[in-house]
């Protein structure tokens, strides 16, 4: 392999932030055409920073970059593009009110007059070549996440990108959408493009990549050929030690009905039906998984239980220890708490809903409890102790508890949020995509925390996207399909295929 | 090649050094421009600027009084701004507060004893200011209307309202203005402390500054304001009633603006005109932003703006220059002060293109 000319040759790349945080140190990396390279590493290992230097967002402090054997200076995304490098970020950069085609040609300075029809034709041509499914005339705001991602990829190809970088492209996709993405990535590879995918889902690394390069703490630690290595070897190299990749699933102890949802129907603010006659129960000491294609009503379901979502009809009953029943519908989170219902909620949007990004750890710990006491002033002593406890027990990586949470990495943000939510010893714990964007270590720590809650008799609702995890962690799995309950299956005796079918078709039957 | 990137964090000392450097640089640039445009000695011009602000005891008192009123309005806007409610209606809220105070003095001045009139005046001014801010707040809370436009438009309504009452109560008839109200009896005039005309205003605003600092940083309500300002979703998630916080905070914001109107009408001017707010509702926006909504820092930023304004006025009279020249200098200084924030938030890399390429492996 080393006799081939690499498309990209990065040598001795070092990048520091604010003169103290070393994001990358002396990294060497070769990227070849006709190859899918997986860049693997834990959160904060410098994967994204490294790729941002290749795509012109950051500029390295030291080191050199060669493209096709020629030295280049990449000082801006435009420079990167002139060398055929394009990157798909986790957050898409599309104009919502424009069509796919308009977004794709946006900012291009072609000679001659602006010809959208010709552009559309070329877009269709690209789609045919690689197997994309894009309607050039569809407006972006009408698109699903997966379609938007496709537009981003086509945009790069349209502009002649030869080297494509994808930053955690599957984090927002369903298994089916992921398969589709991987199929086009393979087509692009076979066409001679160089593809780099940043990820920490090992199954996907196994599935899609040809070669794996591992970063740890900003440094290059090694590489391997995917076909000749196991996921265990990858994890060990990534984490630096052997990691147990099994999730515990003890049998629920003495389960009692905790929450009973009956005939729940919810419309969103635009009047679109998001939940349709949903009924189920959650028991103490169990983890109820919720599976479904993204946007099938998971968000509305959790928010309805948490008192954040107006409900059209239906009932949500909370069963107290003494058998009495409280109706949760029509109550806001404060009223629910004042009933004595210890309900915790880890929402999908961590910094937009669960935490306040600009506030430090102490002030974020206070969000739930700041009203305590009759004094008109806030008491920061208990929240400060809680922040210190969470940092220590959950191994949150932060310079101090005075750091704004926005500055923490995704995994640490989640630890802070989960830490606060379980600190009140909830009887009900709702979690939405609790491990999205988290590395292996942090993910397993979160599973562990959730399992501890289960052992304490908490009724846990775990909305997830990774079916492998749902099948390993949950006692029962409720599958949503278009806002309806497609079925509730036993996590111990079901299969990925069965759940996958139920996600796309009510009841999951073949015929 | 120039490359710009966002900084993660900068030590306090370094940021302070950049800000001081910016002011020094601004003074140098102002000096050069003064020398070129007017041919005057810049050092002398600066000296007269200082003289304009601090030249006599009276000048110092006026500078402090003006600073206090501006600071008062800035403090009023701050809770709303922390909530990301852009209250540009300070001007109108001051005006209606002042109008309410003047009305009490005129209408009830002869009916009640002086302490009662003053008490009524305070209540009326604060209530009027609060009501003026409450209207856009309700619309924002219930229907999410744009508060920037709404509060701005309320300013014009307030100006016209004052204009109407000025004509209605004009003294003498046909003069188009209300003279000094209750000049002979001094009823409804706020008391003077120790014979100093402005001392009471200054002390009240000083107390208000401390109070606002504590309210915003240490009270539960202040915490709620910060949460709502950062994310209404988070606020709802923890059971904060966002509509209530918007309304409550704007009542506070408007009430303090109304209080500023009271200080102007009852404390110093003892009359009301359509221009009594003097653009402070807008200058205060700048004061608040410059201080990044920190009441303690606002003491400095409001003093700076008043000092420059008064200094600029002095040099235009002392050297019989057009008043605009003073504004030019103020503009340059502000440009540097605001512009230096760029260097605090961003980093500029000048890469040695050729050298690096050659040294590559």
């Amino acid at each position: 392999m080393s006799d081939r000319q690499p498309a990209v040759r990065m040598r001795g790349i070092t990048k520091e932030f604010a003169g103290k945080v070393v994001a990358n140190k002396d990294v060497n990396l070769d990227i070849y055409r006709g190859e899918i390279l997986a860049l693997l590493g834990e959160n904060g290992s410098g994967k994204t920073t490294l790729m941002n230097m290749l795509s012109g967002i950051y500029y390295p402090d030291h080191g050199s970059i060669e493209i096709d054997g020629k030295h280049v200076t990449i000082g801006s995304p435009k420079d990167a593009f002139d060398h055929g490098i394009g990157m798909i970020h986790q957050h898409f950069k599309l104009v919502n009110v424009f069509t796919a085609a308009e977004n794709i040609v946006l900012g291009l300075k072609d000679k001659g007059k602006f010809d959208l029809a010709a552009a559309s034709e070329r877009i269709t041509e690209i789609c045919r070549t690689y197997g994309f499914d894009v309607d050039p005339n569809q407006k972006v705001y009408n698109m699903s996440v997966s379609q938007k991602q496709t537009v981003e990829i086509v945009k790069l190809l349209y502009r002649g990108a030869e080297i494509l970088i994808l930053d955690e492209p599957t984090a927002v996709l369903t298994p089916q959408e992921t398969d589709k993405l991987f199929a086009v990535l393979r087509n692009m590879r076979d066409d001679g493009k160089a593809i780099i995918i940043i990820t920490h889902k090992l199954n996907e690394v196994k599935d899609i990549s040809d070669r794996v390069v591992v970063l740890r703490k900003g440094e290059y630690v090694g590489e391997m050929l995917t076909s000749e290595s196991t996921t265990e070897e990858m994890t060990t190299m990534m984490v630096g030690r052997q990691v147990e990749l099994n999730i515990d699933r003890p049998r629920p102890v003495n389960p009692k009905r905790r929450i009973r949802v009956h005939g729940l129907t919810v419309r969103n603010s635009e009047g679109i039906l998001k939940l349709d006659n949903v009924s189920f129960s959650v028991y103490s000491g169990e983890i109820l998984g919720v599976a479904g294609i993204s946007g099938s009503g998971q968000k509305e379901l959790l928010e309805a239980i948490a008192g954040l979502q107006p409900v059209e009809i239906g009932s949500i009953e909370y069963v107290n220890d003494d058998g009495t029943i409280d109706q949760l519908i029509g109550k806001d989170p404060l009223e629910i708490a004042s009933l004595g219902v210890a309900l915790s909620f880890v929402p999908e949007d961590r910094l937009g809903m669960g935490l306040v990004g600009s506030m430090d750890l102490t002030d974020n710990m206070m969000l739930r409890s700041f009203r305590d006491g009759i004094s008109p002033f806030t008491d920061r002593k208990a929240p400060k102790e809680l922040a210190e406890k969470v940092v220590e027990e959950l191994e949150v990586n932060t310079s101090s508890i005075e750091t704004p949470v926005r500055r923490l990495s995704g995994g640490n943000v989640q630890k802070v949020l989960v830490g606060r939510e379980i600190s009140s010893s909830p009887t009900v714990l709702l979690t939405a995509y609790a491990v999205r964007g988290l590395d292996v270590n942090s993910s397993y720590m979160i599973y562990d925390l959730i399992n501890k809650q289960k052992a304490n008799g908490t009724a846990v609702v775990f909305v997830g996207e990774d079916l492998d995890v749902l099948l390993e962690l949950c006692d029962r799995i409720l599958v949503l399909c278009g806002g309806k309950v497609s079925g509730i299956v036993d996590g111990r005796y079901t299969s990925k295929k069965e759940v996958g079918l139920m996600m796309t078709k009510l009841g999951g039957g073949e015929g | 090649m120039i490359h710009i990137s966002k900084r993660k964090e900068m030590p306090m000392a370094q940021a302070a050094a950049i800000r001081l450097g910016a002011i020094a640089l601004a003074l140098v640039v102002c000096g050069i421009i003064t020398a070129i445009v007017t041919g005057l000695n810049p050092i002398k011009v600066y000296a007269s600027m200082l003289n304009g602000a601090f030249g006599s005891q009276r000048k110092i008192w006026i500078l402090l009084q003006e600073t206090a009123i501006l600071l008062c309005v800035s403090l009023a806007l701050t809770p709303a701004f922390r909530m990301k409610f852009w209250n540009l209606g300070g001007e109108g809220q001051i005006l209606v507060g002042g109008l309410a105070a003047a009305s009490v003095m005129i209408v009830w001045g002869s009916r009640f004893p002086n302490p009662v009139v003053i008490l009524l005046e305070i209540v009326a001014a604060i209530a009027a200011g609060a009501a003026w801010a409450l209207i856009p707040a309700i619309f924002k809370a219930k229907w999410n209307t744009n508060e920037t436009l709404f509060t701005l438009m309320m300013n014009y309504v307030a100006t016209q309202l004052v204009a109407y009452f000025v004509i209605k109560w004009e003294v003498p008839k046909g003069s188009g203005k209300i003279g000094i109200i209750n000049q002979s009896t001094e009823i409804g005039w706020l008391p003077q402390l120790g014979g100093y005309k402005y001392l009471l205003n200054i002390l009240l605003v000083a107390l208000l500054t401390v109070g606002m600092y504590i309210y915003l940083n240490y009270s539960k309500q202040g915490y709620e304001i910060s949460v709502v300002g950062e994310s209404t979703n988070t606020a709802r998630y923890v059971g904060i009633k966002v509509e209530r916080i918007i309304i409550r905070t704007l009542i506070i914001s408007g009430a303090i603006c109304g209080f500023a109107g009271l200080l102007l009408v009852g404390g110093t001017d003892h009359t009301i005109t359509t221009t009594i707010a003097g653009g402070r509702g807008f200058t205060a926006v700048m004061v608040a932003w410059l201080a990044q909504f920190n009441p303690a820092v606002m003491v400095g930023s409001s003093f700076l703006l008043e000092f420059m304004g008064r200094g600029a006025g002095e040099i235009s009279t002392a050297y019989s220059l057009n008043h605009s020249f003073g504004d030019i200098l103020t503009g340059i200084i502000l440009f540097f002060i605001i512009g230096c924030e760029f260097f605090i938030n961003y980093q500029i890399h000048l890469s040695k293109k050729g050298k690096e390429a050659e040294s590559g492996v």
Side-chain angles (χ1 to χ4, degrees), chain B residues 3-339:
Chain B
H3 182 75
I4 295 166
S5 69
K6 200 157 168 54
R7 280 182 206 271
K8 287 217 157 170
E9 207 173 354
M10 180 184 260
M12 286 274 276
Q14 202 184 340
I18 287 184
R19 290 198 179 98
L20 284 177
I23 293 177
L25 206 59
L27 292 176
V28 171
V29 172
C30 283
I32 293 169
I33 288 181
T34 309
I36 293 173
V37 176
T38 65
L40 297 168
N41 179 352
I43 306 287
K44 276 188 181 161
V45 172
Y46 287 140
S48 70
M49 240 176 135
L50 283 173
N51 182 45
F54 301 112
S56 67
Q57 213 178 26
R58 190 174 156 272
K59 281 178 177 165
I60 293 174
W61 275 115
I62 292 177
L63 176 65
L64 291 179
Q65 147 78 6
E66 291 293 319
T67 303
I69 300 289
L70 182 62
L71 177 58
C72 182
V73 182
S74 313
L75 290 170
L77 300 185
T78 301
F81 282 5
R82 279 222 186 178
M83 204 176 59
K84 302 220 164 77
F85 183 109
W86 305 117
N87 179 11
L88 299 187
E91 200 82 354
Q93 290 148 26
I94 298 168
L95 273 174
V96 294
L99 179 63
S103 314
V104 171
M105 287 161 77
I106 292 169
V107 178
W108 286 332
S110 51
R111 279 199 228 161
F112 296 107
N114 193 30
V116 177
V117 174
I118 289 179
L119 202 67
L120 286 172
E121 211 180 299
I122 295 171
V123 173
I126 288 176
W132 218 247
L134 178 64
I135 299 167
I138 290 174
F139 277 78
K140 172 80 176 181
K142 301 278 182 213
W143 299 287
N144 198 26
T145 51
N146 182 323
E147 76 278 7
T148 319
L149 278 175
F150 205 137
T151 50
L152 204 57
M153 291 301 147
M154 291 293 282
N155 290 337
Y156 299 107
V157 181
T159 308
Q160 296 306 318
L161 206 62
V162 172
Y164 171 80
F165 280 102
V166 166
I167 299 299
K168 189 174 157 70
W169 288 328
E170 62 184 353
V171 179
K173 281 287 168 212
S175 65
K177 61 182 181 196
I178 298 178
I180 302 296
I181 303 166
N182 302 341
Q183 191 159 20
S184 51
T185 57
E186 296 195 0
I187 282 184
W189 294 23
L190 298 184
Q192 292 191 0
L193 285 187
Y196 297 109
K197 191 178 176 192
Y198 301 126
L199 188 57
L200 180 70
N201 284 3
I202 293 164
L203 287 179
L204 286 174
V205 175
L207 274 178
L208 188 67
T209 310
V210 175
M212 185 54 76
Y213 184 82
I214 294 172
Y215 177 75
L216 289 174
N217 293 310
Y218 297 104
S219 81
K220 290 176 181 173
Q221 296 194 357
Y223 181 74
E224 286 177 327
I225 290 173
S226 303
V227 174
V228 171
E230 192 64 34
S231 156
T232 49
N233 266 337
T234 307
R236 293 208 170 87
Y237 162 81
V238 294
I240 293 175
K241 293 189 176 61
V242 175
E243 294 77 18
R244 243 180 63 190
I245 308 298
I246 290 177
I247 289 173
R248 185 181 72 200
T249 307
L250 262 288
I251 287 177
I252 293 172
S253 185
I256 300 176
C257 279
F259 181 70
L262 168 82
L263 294 184
L264 285 171
V265 171
T268 53
D269 291 13
H270 309 128
T271 184
I272 176 107
T273 63
T274 51
T275 54
I276 197 165
R280 290 185 187 88
F282 299 111
T283 314
V285 175
M286 196 151 63
V287 171
W289 268 99
L290 272 176
Q292 278 152 9
F293 313 136
N294 180 343
V297 182
M298 265 176 230
V299 177
S301 60
S302 55
F303 182 82
L304 181 74
L305 284 177
E306 278 304 334
F307 162 71
M308 289 195 305
R310 299 203 63 74
E314 173 75 13
I315 53 175
S316 50
T317 40
Y319 298 99
S320 55
L321 294 169
N322 188 312
H323 196 279
S324 305
F325 188 71
D327 292 341
I328 291 174
L329 296 190
T330 310
I332 291 170
I333 293 172
L334 283 178
F335 177 83
F336 274 88
I337 291 173
I338 297 169

Side-chain angles (χ1 to χ4, degrees), chain A residues 11 15 17-18 20 56-61 63-64 66 71 73 75-76 79 308 332-334 345-347 351-359 363-364 366-368 370-378 380 406-407 417 420-421, chain B residues 1-11 84 211 214-241 244 347 349-354 356-361:
Chain A
R11 283 293 174 270
K15 176 76 185 172
F17 285 114
K20 47 186 177 188
I57 307 228
Y58 294 140
Y59 191 78
D61 297 337
S64 67
E66 284 175 32
H71 260 292
T73 306
S76 70
D79 286 355
L308 295 165
D332 70 20
L334 206 55
F345 179 21
V346 178
L351 286 175
M353 187 181 235
L355 299 166
V356 180
S358 63
M359 288 186 177
D363 278 14
N364 270 294
M366 203 159 77
L367 266 172
R368 288 275 192 199
F370 75 96
R371 295 182 191 86
D372 293 355
I374 49 160
S375 156
F377 298 103
T378 48
R380 281 186 170 75
R406 164 182 305 142
R407 293 232 175 86
L417 177 55
R420 185 191 71 210
E421 288 302 299
Chain B
M1 190 194 62
I2 297 172
H3 182 75
I4 295 166
S5 69
K6 200 157 168 54
R7 280 182 206 271
K8 287 217 157 170
E9 207 173 354
M10 180 184 260
K84 302 220 164 77
I214 294 172
Y215 177 75
L216 289 174
N217 293 310
Y218 297 104
S219 81
K220 290 176 181 173
Q221 296 194 357
Y223 181 74
E224 286 177 327
I225 290 173
S226 303
V227 174
V228 171
E230 192 64 34
S231 156
T232 49
N233 266 337
T234 307
R236 293 208 170 87
Y237 162 81
V238 294
I240 293 175
K241 293 189 176 61
R244 243 180 63 190
Q347 216 167 358
H349 312 263
L350 295 168
S351 68
K352 323 114 235 180
K353 193 173 183 174
E356 208 159 304
E358 281 154 28
S359 67
V361 184

